[in-house]
Amino acid sequence: MVQSLNSKAELTTKGISYLGIGAQYGKFLIGDRAFEFFNDNNVSDFIQIPWANMTVVYTSVSKNKIGRRFKIQTDKGVFDFSSPEAGKILKLIREHLGNDKVLKNPTLIKRLLRIFKKKHVKKGV
């Protein structure tokens, strides 16, 4: 059995992890020390991310609605998750990390504009 990093649980909810090939269904456990994901089918398959290791959390927002998917960037890599209760999860993450580390994902138009600006600056120099 896996030992949790948290001593107190703030939220437990269903969710999906997109690590590797395919989706893994399981449960999120958000507590005082870490963000954790436990797979429903395989007990030994889990993800534990301490709050100190998180650098940025990205989420998609369209028409003032928070999307289900969010991406956690750590010092070790990037993890992609999805949950029907993403709003509650992101609020708790924001309490632990602060407002400056929970960001909106750039839209497709903003990404394209950024690419064209980089190319234009390189040609002009």
Side-chain angles (χ1 to χ4, degrees), residues 26-119:
K27 300 221 177 343
F28 292 119
L29 175 68
I30 299 167
D32 57 343
R33 296 184 186 156
F35 174 89
E36 299 176 326
F37 175 80
F38 298 101
N39 193 344
D40 284 340
N41 297 330
N42 189 359
V43 178
S44 63
D45 189 15
F46 60 93
I47 300 170
Q48 294 176 323
I49 306 171
W51 297 120
N53 292 4
M54 285 189 194
T55 55
V56 179
V57 177
Y58 293 105
T59 185
S60 59
V61 179
S62 62
K63 297 182 183 177
N64 297 329
K65 271 188 111 170
I66 297 173
R68 290 178 163 224
R69 289 184 75 143
F70 56 95
K71 191 181 305 185
I72 297 176
Q73 187 173 352
T74 67
D75 51 2
K76 306 261 187 218
V78 178
F79 300 93
D80 199 11
F81 298 104
S82 170
S83 174
E85 297 186 26
K88 291 180 184 178
I89 292 171
L90 292 169
K91 281 181 185 177
L92 288 172
I93 290 174
R94 190 173 52 213
E95 286 178 12
H96 290 282
L97 297 181
N99 287 337
D100 56 335
K101 293 191 178 182
V102 179
L103 305 173
K104 277 195 323 186
N105 238 356
T107 62
L108 178 64
I109 295 170
K110 287 184 181 180
R111 282 187 247 159
L112 290 174
L113 287 173
R114 190 180 311 146
I115 290 170
F116 287 123
K117 283 182 183 179
K118 285 181 184 178
K119 286 182 180 181

Side-chain angles (χ1 to χ4, degrees), residues 6-7 80 84:
N6 295 313
S7 59
D80 199 11

